[in-house]
Amino acid sequence: MMPESVLRKAAEEMLNYNGSGQSVMEMSHRSPVYDAIIKETEALFRKTLSVPDNYKVLFLQGGATAQFSAIPLNFMNGSGKADYIISGQFSKKAFKEAQKYGDVKAIASSEDATFSYIPKITREDIRPDADYVYVCYNNTIFGTTFPYIPDTGDIPLIADMSSCILSGPIDVSKFAVIYGGAQKNMGPAGLTVVIIREDMLGKARDITPVMMDYAVQAENDSMYNTPPTYAIYIHKLILEWVNNEIGGIENMEKVNREKAAILYDYLDSCKLFKPTANKEDRSLMNVCFVTGDKELDALFCKEAAAEGFVNIKGHRSVGGMRASIYNAMPTEGVKKLVEFMKAFEAKHQ
Ligand SMILES: *Cc1c(COP(=O)(O)O)cnc(C)c1O
């Protein structure tokens, strides 16, 4: 979901942005009017997530998946080794991609238990000469999230936060690189935001495609070529919504915790549905559950869709159900879903 007020603002400004006589879609990315938009977006992003001054914020294209390649190309250039924690499908994909470029080790995996938990790692698990350690912070498909920030010592920690970024505060200083595709919590598809510590720049291999070289993107303020201009503008409206309507990133987290608790409390107390994620590792964004009966799951999804609860079917790789309750999902929406689940349970126990 997108916040309705953001969509309304975008509609109002569609034909004439701020008296410019142009739609944001029509602007040259190098025009002063657009320059102000991208600069304000960056400033607001930095303020919202308290990004320290020694980090760059980049607005890129190619989705989170392009970063699966960009990361080894940019950073696997010391020992040529990188250590990955495999906590779901997206970290597995990133791991496979990195294997093209060097000696990549899965230092922990929860695949043996269908990725229902987050592996615990300590410094001893990490190869001392690894160029970086990689994690996927919130596992969108399996509904788990890291309950701790891995201690990697001096080894750079890199995190895919596509499905949790902007859902609450982050201690950016604990990470060398954080990135996320915008389409879960930050805006429309087409924009990927990368937060990168300055000492990580300039390490790319010679063969790195220029579009994937973070140093080139940083030197050019994300304007080496045309950035995803409209998606960046909508991202700015989302940031304004978090700050002005929700009351800031701490409040955003508070609301998200309340929403998730409504659903998990019901799941923990009911008989028909079972939550699938390990309790300590539960995601606030993606709530996964099953009935234990595939036919009943399918019936639930069908009846839910008829009532307007769309996209509740679990990912095709796991089945069951997944309620994605990203930032823009109102508390009311979660309450309505629980009411619907209660009514379904009453019919089918
Ligand atoms: C959705 C998602 C991706 C893939 O994003 P694309 O922008 O489609 O490449 C990667 N990682 C995580 C954690 C995701 O949720």
Side-chain angles (χ1 to χ4, degrees):
M1 289 185 76
M2 297 278 282
E4 193 172 311
S5 63
V6 165
L7 296 177
R8 287 191 188 284
K9 181 103 200 268
E12 268 167 37
E13 295 181 332
M14 179 60 75
L15 299 185
N16 183 358
Y17 172 80
N18 203 15
S20 65
Q22 299 167 70
S23 171
V24 175
M25 279 184 221
E26 299 172 307
M27 292 174 185
S28 159
H29 63 291
R30 305 211 187 268
S31 62
V33 60
Y34 190 75
D35 195 56
I37 293 176
I38 194 168
K39 290 216 165 82
E40 278 168 33
T41 311
E42 182 182 339
L44 203 49
F45 181 87
R46 300 186 84 97
K47 180 180 150 252
T48 308
L49 286 178
S50 305
V51 178
D53 289 344
N54 62 325
Y55 285 74
K56 295 277 188 211
V57 174
L58 307 176
F59 297 121
L60 308 179
Q61 308 203 39
T65 306
Q67 306 309 311
F68 297 173
S69 324
I71 286 160
L73 281 162
N74 277 270
F75 309 126
M76 213 194 272
N77 205 7
S79 63
K81 295 181 186 174
D83 288 356
Y84 280 61
I85 300 177
I86 314 293
S87 57
Q89 191 142 307
F90 289 117
S91 38
K92 201 171 159 186
K93 277 186 165 172
F95 170 75
K96 280 201 176 143
E97 182 63 16
Q99 283 180 316
K100 292 178 184 168
Y101 301 104
D103 172 0
V104 184
K105 184 178 172 192
I107 54 170
S109 169
S110 51
E111 191 164 15
D112 57 340
T114 337
F115 297 121
S116 57
Y117 71 98
I118 297 289
K120 301 277 176 298
I121 65 130
T122 64
R123 277 197 205 185
E124 283 70 59
D125 299 309
I126 303 165
R127 291 180 290 180
D129 58 344
D131 287 332
Y132 63 87
V133 174
Y134 182 99
V135 296
C136 177
Y137 221 67
N138 186 76
N139 297 283
T140 324
I141 296 173
F142 302 94
T144 61
T145 205
F146 269 71
Y148 72 107
I149 298 177
D151 173 12
T152 61
D154 291 336
I155 301 175
L157 177 61
I158 298 181
D160 174 358
M161 292 201 184
S162 294
S163 52
C164 59
I165 191 163
L166 215 62
S167 65
I170 323 167
D171 184 354
V172 174
S173 71
K174 295 274 195 313
F175 300 86
V177 179
I178 293 169
Y179 73 91
Q183 68 270 29
K184 313 278 169 38
N185 249 346
M186 301 194 289
L191 167 67
T192 306
V193 182
V194 177
I195 311 171
I196 179 166
R197 208 172 59 212
E198 281 168 358
D199 66 285
M200 298 297 285
L201 296 167
K203 300 180 179 192
R205 293 188 184 185
D206 297 342
I207 60 154
T208 305
V210 68
M211 283 298 292
M212 286 193 175
D213 187 330
Y214 295 122
V216 171
Q217 295 289 1
E219 276 157 26
N220 290 280
D221 295 323
S222 309
M223 292 240 195
Y224 179 73
N225 72 333
T226 314
T229 51
Y230 196 77
I232 292 168
Y233 155 72
I234 300 289
H235 176 47
K236 176 165 105 63
L237 299 185
I238 295 271
L239 289 166
E240 287 168 355
W241 172 80
V242 169
N243 285 289
N244 306 337
E245 289 182 54
I246 300 296
I249 195 74
E250 278 87 12
N251 255 14
M252 189 76 255
E253 180 170 294
K254 190 168 158 263
V255 173
N256 283 327
R257 284 197 181 283
E258 284 163 7
K259 282 189 310 195
I262 295 169
L263 205 39
Y264 285 122
D265 286 350
Y266 169 64
L267 286 168
D268 286 337
S269 66
C270 75
K271 290 210 170 62
L272 185 66
F273 302 102
K274 285 168 257 339
T276 55
N278 187 34
K279 206 162 184 172
E280 297 97 84
D281 306 330
R282 286 173 172 176
S283 169
L284 297 183
M285 299 282 101
N286 313 99
V287 180
C288 296
F289 54 96
V290 294
T291 63
D293 173 342
K294 282 199 170 82
E295 279 172 29
L296 203 53
D297 286 354
L299 182 68
F300 177 81
C301 293
K302 190 169 160 237
E303 291 189 4
E307 288 294 312
F309 302 102
V310 296
N311 297 335
I312 204 146
K313 193 165 176 274
H315 190 268
R316 56 197 148 80
S317 61
V318 279
M321 279 72 74
R322 173 175 51 155
S324 284
I325 50 174
Y326 294 115
N327 283 357
M329 170 63 70
T331 307
E332 201 49 34
V334 179
K335 286 186 180 157
K336 290 232 166 88
L337 175 62
V338 169
E339 274 168 37
F340 174 76
M341 289 168 77
K342 283 182 181 164
F344 188 87
E345 184 179 20
K347 269 196 293 180
H348 294 280
Q349 59 197 351

